Amino acid sequence: MSINQMSYAYGASKSSIREIAAYGSARKAEIGAENVFDFSLGNPSVPAPDAVRDSIGHALTLPAVSLHGYTPAAGLPQARKAVADSLNRRFGTGYAPADLYLTCGAAGSLSIVFNAIVERDAACEVAVVAPYFPEYKVFIENAGAKCVEVLADPATFQIDVAAMAAAINEHTVAVLIDSPNNPVGSVYSQQNLEDLAAVLREKSATYGHTIYLVSDEPYRELAYGVEVPWVPSIYDATIVCYSYSKSLSLPGERIGWILVPNTNPDHDSLVFAVAGSGRKLGFVCAPALFQRVLIDCVDVPTNLDAYVRNREALLSGLSELGYEYIEPQGAFYLWMKALEPDENAFFERCKKLELLPVPSESFGCHGWVRLGYCVSYETIVNSMPAWKKLKESYAQ
Amino acid sequence: MSINQMSYAYGASKSSIREIAAYGSARKAEIGAENVFDFSLGNPSVPAPDAVRDSIGHALTLPAVSLHGYTPAAGLPQARKAVADSLNRRFGTGYAPADLYLTCGAAGSLSIVFNAIVERDAACEVAVVAPYFPEYKVFIENAGAKCVEVLADPATFQIDVAAMAAAINEHTVAVLIDSPNNPVGSVYSQQNLEDLAAVLREKSATYGHTIYLVSDEPYRELAYGVEVPWVPSIYDATIVCYSYSKSLSLPGERIGWILVPNTNPDHDSLVFAVAGSGRKLGFVCAPALFQRVLIDCVDVPTNLDAYVRNREALLSGLSELGYEYIEPQGAFYLWMKALEPDENAFFERCKKLELLPVPSESFGCHGWVRLGYCVSYETIVNSMPAWKKLKESYAQ
């Protein structure tokens, strides 16, 4: 039998988030959807804006051969120009369409980037800020690098820059961050990112090679009253990975991009490496119809109303009950302290009350759970008696 | 600088097919599109059937959250069922939806399959029948295997089974075939495939591990009066890679599938390995909207009229002029003998007359050129005086 063991293992073991969601679905079928409070997934509950449907409808009037035909591997020039123009308007930058490579979503972006910068069998390392989205480790390891977890500051969940500095060594090729952060919902401050940038510049000089800052930004547009700093304006050797899965609620359509900012010292080589990485992984091009949707919808504002309402209901409800959490500044996750040190034991007690958060072990740390509030408002409101009962059960 | 050298090389060096196409576009801008006869690309010139537009229009009436949401990694159950049912009707098989994994097109299928069956650093080999689509080598090498080229029978361009038997050794994990074949247009006969299967069974027994037959079938529906045998009915350990790029003219939309037939001795492990491979490469799921299109369009017949007309015009025109070629039974390519042994020298003389075929070196053999006849009918008819002039120039 010829089977790649890493592939087998990743296929045979589902992610624990998906396992909880599958349990939730089964449980809903058993006792009724209204009696299960499933906070496990990060699926947008807000529909794509009407502009997306209008754009698709308009695209369908184009000749089918050009509409559905191959695009250049990096994407339609008009779509890349639309994205570059939008970034330049928003961040005062001067990016060209050629700095952008359209992808099949953020997972595609990250996989392509790590396969572009990691040299196999060269003992490369990529540092991530824990807690972190568990698929990061999959993409980093598959590219042939070691995933080095660096715990965030335990009080603020900002990047612990001193810990990051201590973790970086001659093997480090990149640091991966996401802000707004999944699972915590924190947004890294300008100061925090500047401190990180200073360390990266120093370490790059010390070790004689550029240490990239890979900024994964699917939640950029989901921020609640705080500004999300533009990372390439803080550190030159940044690579941005973006997706429209959350901002336009298009997770199934697989559309996003990689930006290699023109500030990057290795810009031209990196652009080639990104293109070659996409090619060797088999991506060919991002889905053509949704490339056209970007041309029309790149500046359509994200509809945050439902998330704002959900966030307020969840925070006020849980805070009244005495739960502790990190106040989320972005994304649609609440990072809540478990009521006992073992988050898995806490999860088992949640489950008995039909409450389904995700234990923090999945994200590389202990003592917390993640609640996705991209659910219906009713789920949040109706879950409160169960959260109350859970809290009381710990008081006894 | 941390750059993956393989990615850089693949990004910095365009495929020679793309280079010729780029030259053709530039030349058209220079002297007028009607004066350049570009046969380099494999882009369908037939529009997607109206049923595709109707299906998208219908899908747009669905709630956007479910329409554009994440699907299961292997695809929507209804879409996989539609494909399985269609295959079972056509080939008398008994495949289940779980045997199918929807992908971002044939390149995605192949990349996922090789990353599912090739163990890195284990000296694996995959044998291909030359001439072959050059990206095969990219996907095979990126998965960590050696690409072993086995020349087809030089008279018939069927698989040279004796040569294949001689090339297979303890390191061989798979043989990759495509029928109808790109670049030749040949369709492997039932007997040819049965002979190959006998060798693969014998070699699997000799070396104590299953040697898979990976059957890449993007051109299955493009056959001209011959039957294309169903490979898994001939060899149990077959894995089929399919794409709707040519059959429904949707190359930009990236939609296809992998079938792990239930006849496969390692079926369950392979299904896991395919899922894990898709996951680690960052595919997440095939584009959701086009998964829905499959439900409606899986049995929509491929419109062959234009290709039939083009094929006849090209074959009769060139044969009257005395050119020699392999009569194509499928796909939309003509494999024509160069008028001198060095196909690159021949290509240079073509180019002077604004004729742009692809020299056979790109496909791993010498003395031929490939002409894609997925062009306009006018391109074929209007190119004949140039082909005549070229032939006459060799007679002098």
Side-chain angles (χ1 to χ4, degrees):
Chain A
M1 187 169 81
S2 301
I3 299 273
N4 178 290
Q5 290 307 309
M6 188 195 267
S7 292
Y8 177 82
Y10 284 140
S13 69
K14 293 247 170 354
S15 89
S16 54
I17 301 174
R18 292 234 169 200
E19 265 179 22
I20 297 169
Y23 170 83
S25 297
R27 195 72 184 133
K28 281 177 186 174
E30 216 172 308
I31 62 167
E34 69 284 7
N35 298 315
V36 181
F37 309 105
D38 183 357
F39 297 95
S40 64
L41 283 183
N43 275 357
S45 53
V46 167
D50 290 345
V52 167
R53 192 174 46 224
D54 296 346
S55 174
I56 296 173
H58 172 74
L60 290 179
T61 66
L62 299 173
V65 168
S66 59
L67 172 59
H68 300 303
Y70 288 113
T71 75
L76 292 168
Q78 322 85 289
R80 293 154 76 198
K81 184 174 186 313
V83 174
D85 288 351
S86 172
L87 294 174
N88 293 338
R89 272 192 304 273
R90 292 175 66 185
F91 305 115
T93 48
Y95 304 133
D99 302 334
L100 284 151
Y101 184 94
L102 302 191
T103 62
C104 294
S109 298
L110 290 164
S111 177
I112 289 172
V113 165
F114 291 122
N115 278 281
I117 62 176
V118 170
E119 192 60 90
R120 244 170 225 296
D121 308 319
C124 292
E125 298 184 2
V126 175
V128 300
V129 182
Y132 65 100
F133 176 49
E135 295 302 280
Y136 285 171
K137 191 176 183 176
V138 176
F139 302 141
I140 291 168
E141 290 185 346
N142 181 51
K146 185 176 161 191
C147 178
V148 176
E149 303 177 1
V150 179
L151 281 176
D153 181 307
T156 62
F157 284 88
Q158 296 277 300
I159 303 164
D160 184 337
V161 176
M164 187 59 82
I168 292 173
N169 60 47
E170 68 202 281
H171 301 297
T172 310
V173 296
V175 171
L176 168 60
I177 59 170
D178 66 325
S179 171
N181 172 270
N182 171 13
V184 177
S186 50
V187 170
Y188 301 144
S189 70
Q190 178 81 19
Q191 188 59 54
N192 192 225
L193 291 166
E194 282 178 8
D195 293 346
L196 176 67
V199 164
L200 294 180
R201 276 189 286 268
E202 185 208 312
K203 296 286 183 183
S204 295
T206 302
Y207 297 119
H209 69 262
T210 303
I211 299 174
Y212 301 110
L213 182 54
V214 179
S215 185
D216 179 34
E217 310 200 347
Y219 297 101
R220 164 164 287 282
E221 322 318 335
L222 282 68
Y224 308 102
V226 296
E227 213 191 311
V228 181
W230 180 242
V231 183
S233 296
I234 299 172
Y235 185 64
D236 286 348
T238 296
I239 306 170
V240 184
C241 295
Y242 190 84
S243 155
Y244 295 91
S245 293
K246 320 293 177 179
S247 57
L248 292 178
S249 293
L250 295 173
E253 306 300 355
R254 314 312 303 144
I255 183 79
W257 44 257
I258 296 164
L259 172 73
V260 179
N262 52 9
T263 50
N264 226 295
D266 313 321
H267 176 269
D268 294 359
S269 304
L270 259 182
V271 166
F272 280 136
V274 163
S277 177
R279 180 181 170 194
K280 77 183 187 181
L281 294 171
F283 281 102
V284 183
C285 64
L289 178 60
F290 284 88
Q291 293 189 36
R292 282 182 199 276
V293 168
L294 291 197
I295 300 171
D296 295 333
C297 300
V298 72
D299 286 323
V300 171
T302 301
N303 181 357
L304 286 182
D305 296 351
Y307 301 138
V308 166
R309 189 173 175 229
N310 282 358
R311 178 178 173 278
E312 282 169 9
L314 189 63
L315 266 61
S316 65
L318 291 173
S319 125
E320 262 172 46
L321 294 172
Y323 284 94
E324 288 176 58
Y325 51 75
I326 301 296
E327 178 133 340
Q329 300 173 294
F332 41 44
Y333 303 109
L334 180 70
W335 191 242
M336 189 174 85
K337 233 185 172 121
L339 295 178
E340 58 185 301
D342 178 348
E343 72 278 1
N344 290 315
F346 177 68
F347 173 69
E348 288 306 319
R349 288 178 66 169
C350 289
K351 220 166 141 185
K352 286 200 182 107
L353 293 164
E354 314 300 347
L355 295 165
L356 299 176
V358 179
S360 60
E361 189 183 32
S362 293
F363 306 102
C365 73
H366 295 290
W368 301 76
V369 292
R370 184 190 81 171
L371 278 69
Y373 53 84
C374 49
V375 295
S376 74
Y377 182 70
E378 290 64 39
T379 298
I380 291 174
V381 172
N382 296 337
S383 72
M384 285 303 151
W387 290 115
K388 184 161 188 277
K389 210 179 276 181
L390 182 66
K391 186 75 168 67
E392 288 167 356
S393 79
Y394 275 93
Q396 284 161 2
Chain B
M1 189 170 80
S2 302
I3 299 272
N4 179 290
Q5 290 307 308
M6 189 195 265
S7 291
Y8 177 83
Y10 284 140
S13 70
K14 293 247 172 354
S15 88
S16 56
I17 300 174
R18 292 233 167 199
E19 265 180 21
I20 296 168
Y23 169 84
S25 296
R27 196 71 185 135
K28 281 177 185 174
E30 217 174 307
I31 63 167
E34 69 284 8
N35 298 314
V36 181
F37 309 105
D38 183 357
F39 297 95
S40 64
L41 284 183
N43 275 357
S45 53
V46 167
D50 290 344
V52 167
R53 192 174 44 225
D54 296 346
S55 174
I56 296 172
H58 171 74
L60 290 180
T61 65
L62 299 173
V65 168
S66 58
L67 172 58
H68 299 305
Y70 289 113
T71 75
L76 291 168
Q78 322 83 292
R80 294 152 77 197
K81 184 174 186 312
V83 174
D85 288 351
S86 172
L87 294 174
N88 293 339
R89 272 192 303 274
R90 292 174 66 186
F91 305 116
T93 48
Y95 304 133
D99 302 335
L100 285 150
Y101 184 93
L102 302 191
T103 63
C104 294
S109 298
L110 290 164
S111 177
I112 289 172
V113 164
F114 291 123
N115 278 282
I117 63 176
V118 170
E119 192 60 90
R120 244 171 225 296
D121 308 318
C124 293
E125 297 184 2
V126 175
V128 300
V129 182
Y132 65 100
F133 176 49
E135 296 302 281
Y136 285 171
K137 190 175 183 177
V138 176
F139 303 140
I140 291 167
E141 289 185 346
N142 181 51
K146 184 176 161 191
C147 178
V148 176
E149 302 177 1
V150 179
L151 281 175
D153 181 307
T156 62
F157 282 87
Q158 295 277 301
I159 302 163
D160 184 336
V161 176
M164 188 59 82
I168 291 174
N169 61 46
E170 68 204 278
H171 301 296
T172 310
V173 296
V175 171
L176 168 60
I177 60 171
D178 66 324
S179 171
N181 173 272
N182 171 14
V184 177
S186 51
V187 170
Y188 301 144
S189 70
Q190 178 81 22
Q191 187 60 53
N192 192 225
L193 291 167
E194 282 176 8
D195 293 347
L196 175 66
V199 164
L200 293 181
R201 276 189 285 268
E202 185 207 314
K203 296 286 181 183
S204 295
T206 303
Y207 297 119
H209 70 260
T210 304
I211 299 172
Y212 301 111
L213 183 53
V214 179
S215 185
D216 179 35
E217 309 200 347
Y219 297 100
R220 164 164 289 281
E221 323 315 337
L222 281 69
Y224 308 101
V226 296
E227 213 191 313
V228 181
W230 180 242
V231 182
S233 297
I234 298 171
Y235 184 63
D236 286 348
T238 296
I239 304 170
V240 184
C241 294
Y242 190 84
S243 155
Y244 294 90
S245 293
K246 320 295 176 179
S247 57
L248 292 179
S249 293
L250 295 173
E253 306 300 355
R254 314 313 302 145
I255 183 79
W257 45 256
I258 296 163
L259 172 73
V260 178
N262 52 9
T263 49
N264 225 294
D266 313 321
H267 177 268
D268 294 359
S269 305
L270 260 182
V271 166
F272 279 136
V274 163
S277 177
R279 180 181 168 193
K280 77 183 188 181
L281 294 171
F283 280 101
V284 182
C285 64
L289 178 61
F290 284 88
Q291 292 190 35
R292 283 183 199 275
V293 168
L294 292 196
I295 301 172
D296 295 333
C297 301
V298 71
D299 285 323
V300 171
T302 300
N303 181 357
L304 285 182
D305 296 351
Y307 300 138
V308 166
R309 188 172 175 231
N310 283 358
R311 178 178 175 276
E312 281 169 10
L314 189 64
L315 267 61
S316 65
L318 291 173
S319 126
E320 261 173 47
L321 295 172
Y323 284 94
E324 288 175 59
Y325 51 75
I326 300 297
E327 177 133 342
Q329 300 173 295
F332 41 45
Y333 304 109
L334 181 70
W335 191 242
M336 190 174 85
K337 229 179 177 129
L339 294 177
E340 57 185 302
D342 179 347
E343 71 278 0
N344 290 316
F346 176 69
F347 173 70
E348 289 305 319
R349 288 178 67 167
C350 289
K351 221 165 138 186
K352 286 201 181 105
L353 294 163
E354 312 301 346
L355 295 165
L356 298 176
V358 179
S360 60
E361 190 184 30
S362 293
F363 307 101
C365 73
H366 294 291
W368 301 77
V369 291
R370 184 191 82 170
L371 279 68
Y373 54 84
C374 47
V375 294
S376 74
Y377 181 71
E378 289 64 39
T379 299
I380 291 173
V381 172
N382 295 338
S383 73
M384 284 303 151
W387 289 116
K388 184 161 187 279
K389 211 178 276 182
L390 182 67
K391 186 74 167 71
E392 287 167 355
S393 79
Y394 275 92
Q396 282 159 5

